[in-house]
Amino acid sequence: ASTLGAQAAQSGRYFGAAVAAGRLGDGTYTGILGREFNSVTPENEMKWDATERSRGQFTFGAADQIVNGATARGQRVRGHTLVWHSQLPDWVKGIRDANTLRGVMNNHITTVMNRYKGRIHSWDVVNEAFADGGSGQLRGSVFRDVLGTGFLEQAFRTARSADPAAKLCYNDYNIENWNDAKTQGVYRMVRDFKARGVPIDCVGLQSHFGAGGPPGSFQTTLSNFAALGVDVQITELDIAQAPPNAYANTVRACMNVARCTGITVWGIRDSDSWRSGENPLLFDRNGNKKPAYQATLTAL
Ligand code: XIL
Protein backbone atom coordinates (compact mmCIF):
# COMPACT_ATOMS: atom_id res chain seq x y z
CA ALA A 1 0.00 0.00 0.00
CA SER A 2 1.11 3.57 -0.50
CA THR A 3 0.20 5.12 2.85
CA LEU A 4 1.16 4.32 6.45
CA GLY A 5 -2.38 3.57 7.59
CA ALA A 6 -3.27 1.36 4.63
CA GLN A 7 0.01 -0.54 4.91
CA ALA A 8 -0.44 -1.11 8.65
CA ALA A 9 -4.03 -2.26 8.04
CA GLN A 10 -2.74 -5.10 5.84
CA SER A 11 -1.51 -6.81 9.00
CA GLY A 12 -4.53 -5.73 11.06
CA ARG A 13 -2.65 -2.88 12.73
CA TYR A 14 -3.25 0.86 12.87
CA PHE A 15 -0.83 3.69 12.19
CA GLY A 16 -1.80 6.88 13.97
CA ALA A 17 -0.69 10.41 14.76
CA ALA A 18 -1.14 12.79 17.65
CA VAL A 19 -3.38 15.64 16.52
CA ALA A 20 -3.77 19.19 17.86
CA ALA A 21 -7.19 20.81 17.46
CA GLY A 22 -5.55 24.17 16.84
CA ARG A 23 -3.96 22.89 13.61
CA LEU A 24 -7.10 21.49 12.00
CA GLY A 25 -7.50 24.68 9.96
CA ASP A 26 -4.14 24.09 8.25
CA GLY A 27 -4.76 22.41 4.90
CA THR A 28 -1.29 20.93 4.55
CA TYR A 29 -1.66 19.36 7.98
CA THR A 30 -5.14 17.96 7.43
CA GLY A 31 -4.17 16.77 3.97
CA ILE A 32 -1.43 14.55 5.40
CA LEU A 33 -3.62 13.55 8.34
CA GLY A 34 -6.43 12.32 6.13
CA ARG A 35 -4.17 10.61 3.63
CA GLU A 36 -1.68 8.77 5.82
CA PHE A 37 -3.23 7.83 9.16
CA ASN A 38 -6.06 5.57 10.31
CA SER A 39 -5.92 6.43 14.03
CA VAL A 40 -5.59 9.73 15.89
CA THR A 41 -4.70 10.65 19.47
CA PRO A 42 -5.64 14.09 20.81
CA GLU A 43 -2.27 15.57 21.81
CA ASN A 44 -3.61 17.65 24.73
CA GLU A 45 -7.37 18.05 24.33
CA MET A 46 -8.52 15.10 26.48
CA LYS A 47 -6.18 15.83 29.39
CA TRP A 48 -7.65 16.80 32.77
CA ASP A 49 -6.67 20.48 32.46
CA ALA A 50 -8.57 20.64 29.16
CA THR A 51 -11.67 18.65 30.13
CA GLU A 52 -12.32 19.56 33.81
CA ARG A 53 -10.50 22.82 34.56
CA SER A 54 -12.76 23.39 37.57
CA ARG A 55 -14.49 20.74 39.58
CA GLY A 56 -17.55 19.31 37.86
CA GLN A 57 -17.33 21.76 34.91
CA PHE A 58 -16.53 19.70 31.86
CA THR A 59 -15.47 21.22 28.52
CA PHE A 60 -15.22 19.03 25.45
CA GLY A 61 -15.11 21.50 22.55
CA ALA A 62 -11.56 20.83 21.38
CA ALA A 63 -11.70 17.09 21.99
CA ASP A 64 -15.03 16.90 20.13
CA GLN A 65 -13.45 18.65 17.15
CA ILE A 66 -10.75 16.00 16.96
CA VAL A 67 -13.08 13.04 17.51
CA ASN A 68 -15.69 14.29 15.05
CA GLY A 69 -13.02 15.04 12.44
CA ALA A 70 -11.53 11.58 12.88
CA THR A 71 -14.94 9.97 12.51
CA ALA A 72 -15.59 11.96 9.33
CA ARG A 73 -12.26 10.76 7.91
CA GLY A 74 -12.95 7.15 8.96
CA GLN A 75 -10.14 7.13 11.51
CA ARG A 76 -10.14 5.41 14.88
CA VAL A 77 -9.34 7.33 18.08
CA ARG A 78 -7.04 6.63 21.04
CA GLY A 79 -8.12 8.34 24.25
CA HIS A 80 -5.32 10.17 26.08
CA THR A 81 -5.42 10.40 29.10
CA LEU A 82 -7.62 10.08 32.22
CA VAL A 83 -5.37 9.93 35.29
CA TRP A 84 -1.98 11.68 35.11
CA HIS A 85 0.01 13.80 37.56
CA SER A 86 0.85 16.33 34.82
CA GLN A 87 -1.44 18.80 33.05
CA LEU A 88 -3.57 18.32 36.15
CA PRO A 89 -5.44 21.33 37.59
CA ASP A 90 -4.35 22.74 40.95
CA TRP A 91 -7.79 22.08 42.41
CA VAL A 92 -7.16 18.34 42.05
CA LYS A 93 -3.59 18.56 43.36
CA GLY A 94 -4.89 20.30 46.47
CA ILE A 95 -7.31 17.57 47.58
CA ARG A 96 -6.17 15.91 50.82
CA ASP A 97 -9.19 13.75 51.70
CA ALA A 98 -9.14 10.24 50.22
CA ASN A 99 -12.90 9.81 49.84
CA THR A 100 -13.15 13.18 48.10
CA LEU A 101 -10.28 12.41 45.71
CA ARG A 102 -11.61 8.93 44.94
CA GLY A 103 -14.98 10.43 44.05
CA VAL A 104 -13.39 13.15 41.94
CA MET A 105 -11.18 10.65 40.07
CA ASN A 106 -14.04 8.23 39.41
CA ASN A 107 -16.32 11.04 38.26
CA HIS A 108 -13.65 12.38 35.90
CA ILE A 109 -13.03 8.95 34.36
CA THR A 110 -16.73 8.18 34.02
CA THR A 111 -17.75 11.56 32.58
CA VAL A 112 -14.97 11.75 29.98
CA MET A 113 -15.34 8.12 28.93
CA ASN A 114 -19.13 8.44 28.68
CA ARG A 115 -18.78 11.43 26.36
CA TYR A 116 -16.91 9.29 23.83
CA LYS A 117 -18.38 5.90 24.68
CA GLY A 118 -18.11 3.45 21.80
CA ARG A 119 -15.86 5.81 19.80
CA ILE A 120 -12.48 5.17 21.42
CA HIS A 121 -10.55 2.01 20.52
CA SER A 122 -8.05 2.32 23.38
CA TRP A 123 -7.88 4.57 26.44
CA ASP A 124 -4.74 5.54 28.33
CA VAL A 125 -6.46 5.13 31.69
CA VAL A 126 -3.35 5.94 33.73
CA ASN A 127 -0.31 7.74 32.32
CA GLU A 128 3.24 7.85 33.69
CA ALA A 129 2.54 6.58 37.22
CA PHE A 130 5.96 4.97 37.72
CA ALA A 131 9.06 6.77 38.98
CA ASP A 132 12.20 7.27 36.93
CA GLY A 133 15.42 5.72 38.16
CA GLY A 134 16.06 2.50 39.96
CA SER A 135 13.16 2.17 42.41
CA GLY A 136 10.65 0.39 40.20
CA GLN A 137 7.97 2.02 42.37
CA LEU A 138 5.20 4.54 41.74
CA ARG A 139 6.17 8.20 41.55
CA GLY A 140 4.80 10.68 44.07
CA SER A 141 1.54 12.30 42.98
CA VAL A 142 -1.66 13.44 44.63
CA PHE A 143 -3.20 10.14 43.53
CA ARG A 144 -0.54 7.94 45.13
CA ASP A 145 -0.02 10.16 48.14
CA VAL A 146 -3.71 10.48 49.07
CA LEU A 147 -5.23 7.23 47.72
CA GLY A 148 -2.21 4.92 48.02
CA THR A 149 -0.91 2.57 45.34
CA GLY A 150 -4.42 1.13 44.88
CA PHE A 151 -5.44 4.19 42.83
CA LEU A 152 -4.42 2.42 39.62
CA GLU A 153 -6.65 -0.57 40.28
CA GLN A 154 -9.50 1.77 41.20
CA ALA A 155 -9.02 3.76 37.99
CA PHE A 156 -9.02 0.67 35.75
CA ARG A 157 -12.11 -0.81 37.41
CA THR A 158 -14.00 2.46 37.03
CA ALA A 159 -12.90 2.73 33.40
CA ARG A 160 -14.11 -0.78 32.60
CA SER A 161 -17.59 0.04 33.91
CA ALA A 162 -17.72 3.32 31.98
CA ASP A 163 -16.92 1.91 28.51
CA PRO A 164 -16.68 -1.89 28.42
CA ALA A 165 -15.82 -1.85 24.69
CA ALA A 166 -12.66 0.25 25.00
CA LYS A 167 -9.27 -1.37 25.48
CA LEU A 168 -7.82 -0.09 28.74
CA CYS A 169 -4.12 0.76 28.62
CA TYR A 170 -1.39 1.71 31.05
CA ASN A 171 0.93 4.17 29.22
CA ASP A 172 4.47 5.29 30.14
CA TYR A 173 7.89 6.39 28.83
CA ASN A 174 11.28 4.78 29.46
CA ILE A 175 9.73 1.34 29.72
CA GLU A 176 11.14 0.26 26.36
CA ASN A 177 14.39 -1.20 27.72
CA TRP A 178 13.68 -4.57 29.31
CA ASN A 179 16.51 -4.15 31.82
CA ASP A 180 15.31 -0.88 33.32
CA ALA A 181 13.87 -0.98 36.83
CA LYS A 182 10.94 1.14 35.63
CA THR A 183 10.07 -1.46 32.98
CA GLN A 184 10.23 -4.17 35.62
CA GLY A 185 7.96 -2.21 37.93
CA VAL A 186 5.31 -1.81 35.24
CA TYR A 187 5.69 -5.48 34.29
CA ARG A 188 5.07 -6.58 37.89
CA MET A 189 1.97 -4.37 38.09
CA VAL A 190 0.49 -5.79 34.87
CA ARG A 191 1.28 -9.34 35.99
CA ASP A 192 -0.40 -8.68 39.34
CA PHE A 193 -3.47 -7.14 37.62
CA LYS A 194 -3.82 -10.15 35.33
CA ALA A 195 -3.39 -12.57 38.24
CA ARG A 196 -6.08 -10.81 40.31
CA GLY A 197 -8.54 -10.10 37.50
CA VAL A 198 -8.10 -6.32 37.54
CA PRO A 199 -9.16 -5.13 34.07
CA ILE A 200 -6.22 -4.14 31.84
CA ASP A 201 -5.96 -4.82 28.09
CA CYS A 202 -2.86 -3.05 26.87
CA VAL A 203 0.42 -1.40 27.68
CA GLY A 204 1.40 1.75 25.78
CA LEU A 205 5.11 2.31 25.30
CA GLN A 206 5.52 5.99 24.50
CA SER A 207 8.84 5.50 22.66
CA HIS A 208 10.30 9.01 22.74
CA PHE A 209 13.71 7.93 21.53
CA GLY A 210 17.11 9.55 21.11
CA ALA A 211 18.87 9.36 17.75
CA GLY A 212 19.97 5.78 18.47
CA GLY A 213 16.36 4.64 18.30
CA PRO A 214 14.94 1.82 20.38
CA PRO A 215 17.09 -0.10 22.86
CA GLY A 216 18.32 -3.50 21.68
CA SER A 217 15.86 -5.21 24.01
CA PHE A 218 12.79 -3.36 22.64
CA GLN A 219 11.25 -6.36 20.87
CA THR A 220 11.89 -8.51 23.95
CA THR A 221 10.07 -5.96 26.09
CA LEU A 222 7.10 -5.93 23.71
CA SER A 223 6.86 -9.71 23.63
CA ASN A 224 7.33 -10.10 27.39
CA PHE A 225 4.45 -7.72 28.09
CA ALA A 226 2.34 -9.44 25.43
CA ALA A 227 3.01 -12.81 27.05
CA LEU A 228 1.15 -11.54 30.13
CA GLY A 229 -2.00 -11.47 28.00
CA VAL A 230 -2.16 -7.79 27.04
CA ASP A 231 -1.77 -5.99 23.73
CA VAL A 232 1.13 -3.59 23.35
CA GLN A 233 1.06 -0.35 21.39
CA ILE A 234 3.73 2.18 20.47
CA THR A 235 1.86 5.29 21.53
CA GLU A 236 3.98 8.45 21.14
CA LEU A 237 6.81 7.63 18.77
CA ASP A 238 9.35 10.30 17.88
CA ILE A 239 13.11 9.90 17.36
CA ALA A 240 15.71 12.69 17.55
CA GLN A 241 16.82 13.57 14.00
CA ALA A 242 14.58 10.77 12.68
CA PRO A 243 17.27 8.39 11.39
CA PRO A 244 15.57 6.03 8.90
CA ASN A 245 17.12 2.95 10.50
CA ALA A 246 15.93 3.94 13.95
CA TYR A 247 12.36 4.23 12.65
CA ALA A 248 12.66 0.94 10.74
CA ASN A 249 13.96 -0.87 13.82
CA THR A 250 11.08 0.42 15.91
CA VAL A 251 8.46 -0.60 13.35
CA ARG A 252 10.04 -4.02 12.81
CA ALA A 253 9.98 -4.78 16.53
CA CYS A 254 6.22 -4.14 16.52
CA MET A 255 5.66 -6.16 13.34
CA ASN A 256 7.50 -9.10 14.89
CA VAL A 257 5.15 -9.23 17.90
CA ALA A 258 1.65 -10.45 17.10
CA ARG A 259 0.08 -8.53 19.97
CA CYS A 260 1.70 -5.23 18.97
CA THR A 261 -1.49 -3.80 17.50
CA GLY A 262 -0.53 -0.31 16.38
CA ILE A 263 1.90 2.58 16.25
CA THR A 264 1.22 6.27 16.84
CA VAL A 265 3.74 9.02 15.98
CA TRP A 266 3.60 12.06 18.26
CA GLY A 267 2.79 14.66 15.61
CA ILE A 268 2.83 15.00 11.83
CA ARG A 269 5.45 17.55 10.67
CA ASP A 270 8.63 18.39 12.58
CA SER A 271 7.16 21.83 13.16
CA ASP A 272 4.18 20.25 14.93
CA SER A 273 6.34 18.31 17.39
CA TRP A 274 6.78 19.01 21.11
CA ARG A 275 10.45 18.24 20.30
CA SER A 276 10.52 20.38 17.16
CA GLY A 277 14.16 21.36 17.72
CA GLU A 278 15.13 17.72 17.17
CA ASN A 279 13.19 17.22 13.91
CA PRO A 280 11.97 13.83 15.16
CA LEU A 281 8.99 13.10 12.88
CA LEU A 282 8.22 11.66 9.43
CA PHE A 283 7.32 14.88 7.58
CA ASP A 284 9.39 18.06 7.28
CA ARG A 285 8.17 21.56 7.98
CA ASN A 286 6.74 21.84 4.46
CA GLY A 287 4.84 18.59 4.81
CA ASN A 288 7.20 16.63 2.58
CA LYS A 289 8.02 13.00 3.35
CA LYS A 290 11.43 12.55 5.00
CA PRO A 291 13.72 9.53 4.46
CA ALA A 292 12.32 8.10 7.72
CA TYR A 293 8.87 8.03 6.12
CA GLN A 294 9.99 5.64 3.37
CA ALA A 295 11.88 3.48 5.89
CA THR A 296 8.76 3.27 8.03
CA LEU A 297 6.49 2.39 5.12
CA THR A 298 8.90 -0.29 3.95
CA ALA A 299 9.16 -1.82 7.42
CA LEU A 300 5.37 -2.03 7.92
C1 XIL B 1 2.99 16.67 25.45
C2 XIL B 1 2.40 17.47 24.30
O1 XIL B 1 2.94 17.00 23.10
C3 XIL B 1 2.73 18.94 24.49
O2 XIL B 1 2.04 19.74 23.53
C4 XIL B 1 2.34 19.41 25.89
O3 XIL B 1 2.78 20.74 26.08
C5 XIL B 1 2.95 18.51 26.95
O4 XIL B 1 2.56 17.18 26.70
N1 XIL B 1 4.03 12.10 27.46
C6 XIL B 1 2.68 12.15 27.22
C7 XIL B 1 2.12 13.22 26.34
O5 XIL B 1 1.95 11.26 27.66
O6 XIL B 1 0.84 13.62 26.74
C8 XIL B 1 3.03 14.41 26.29
O7 XIL B 1 2.50 15.34 25.33
C9 XIL B 1 4.44 14.01 25.95
C10 XIL B 1 5.00 13.08 27.00
Side-chain angles (χ1 to χ4, degrees):
S2 62
T3 66
L4 300 167
Q7 187 60 34
Q10 291 191 351
S11 67
R13 293 178 172 85
Y14 66 85
F15 202 99
V19 167
R23 297 186 198 275
L24 292 174
D26 175 337
T28 305
Y29 182 85
T30 51
I32 301 169
L33 174 61
R35 185 185 76 223
E36 295 287 343
F37 300 99
N38 57 4
S39 175
V40 310
T41 305
E43 185 174 1
N44 290 297
E45 292 78 354
M46 285 183 175
K47 293 172 181 175
W48 200 312
D49 64 354
T51 53
E52 193 185 6
R53 176 157 281 290
S54 35
R55 185 171 171 178
Q57 309 276 50
F58 287 86
T59 45
F60 291 116
D64 283 357
Q65 254 187 287
I66 293 179
V67 174
N68 293 339
T71 305
R73 289 185 291 267
Q75 297 163 322
R76 305 163 75 209
V77 183
R78 288 194 92 257
H80 176 77
T81 176
L82 297 164
V83 180
W84 187 26
H85 66 276
S86 185
Q87 293 180 269
L88 182 68
D90 287 342
W91 71 266
V92 184
K93 291 185 193 161
I95 297 173
R96 288 289 167 271
D97 175 67
N99 287 327
T100 303
L101 183 60
R102 193 177 306 109
V104 159
M105 182 183 81
N106 288 338
N107 182 55
H108 183 79
I109 293 169
T110 303
T111 305
V112 178
M113 288 185 81
N114 267 335
R115 175 84 177 187
Y116 301 107
K117 192 169 179 163
R119 296 196 282 166
I120 304 290
H121 69 80
S122 309
W123 261 111
D124 291 332
V125 178
V126 180
N127 197 35
E128 301 184 351
F130 278 76
D132 297 319
S135 78
Q137 303 295 311
L138 298 183
R139 70 169 72 235
S141 73
V142 68
F143 301 109
R144 189 209 65 180
D145 299 347
V146 175
L147 298 177
T149 59
F151 85 85
L152 285 114
E153 170 170 357
Q154 175 74 65
F156 277 86
R157 289 191 187 280
T158 301
R160 179 67 94 221
S161 318
D163 185 354
K167 301 261 190 208
L168 306 182
C169 304
Y170 176 78
N171 192 54
D172 214 330
Y173 65 91
N174 285 357
I175 59 167
E176 294 85 9
N177 188 333
W178 178 245
N179 301 312
D180 283 353
K182 190 170 171 183
T183 309
Q184 294 299 312
V186 174
Y187 181 83
R188 282 192 296 271
M189 176 192 73
V190 175
R191 189 175 57 189
D192 169 63
F193 276 20
K194 294 305 272 185
R196 293 191 297 112
V198 179
I200 184 166
D201 306 305
C202 36
V203 173
L205 298 95
Q206 291 184 8
S207 307
H208 296 293
F209 292 136
S217 62
F218 186 50
Q219 188 179 316
T220 299
T221 304
L222 294 175
S223 46
N224 286 349
F225 275 116
L228 293 175
V230 290
D231 291 341
V232 289
Q233 303 174 355
I234 295 172
T235 52
E236 304 183 12
L237 179 61
D238 51 20
I239 308 181
Q241 313 312 331
N245 279 338
Y247 265 96
N249 288 340
T250 306
V251 172
R252 272 192 227 110
C254 181
M255 297 300 287
N256 287 338
V257 174
R259 292 199 76 156
C260 183
T261 56
I263 298 173
T264 298
V265 286
W266 205 242
I268 295 178
R269 300 163 300 194
D270 287 331
S271 48
D272 303 316
S273 171
W274 74 313
R275 301 169 67 188
S276 58
E278 298 175 282
N279 297 322
L281 294 174
L282 301 178
F283 295 87
D284 70 18
R285 278 148 214 275
N286 298 316
N288 295 315
K289 297 169 180 173
K290 293 165 61 182
Y293 171 94
Q294 193 53 53
T296 299
L297 186 63
T298 303
L300 280 170

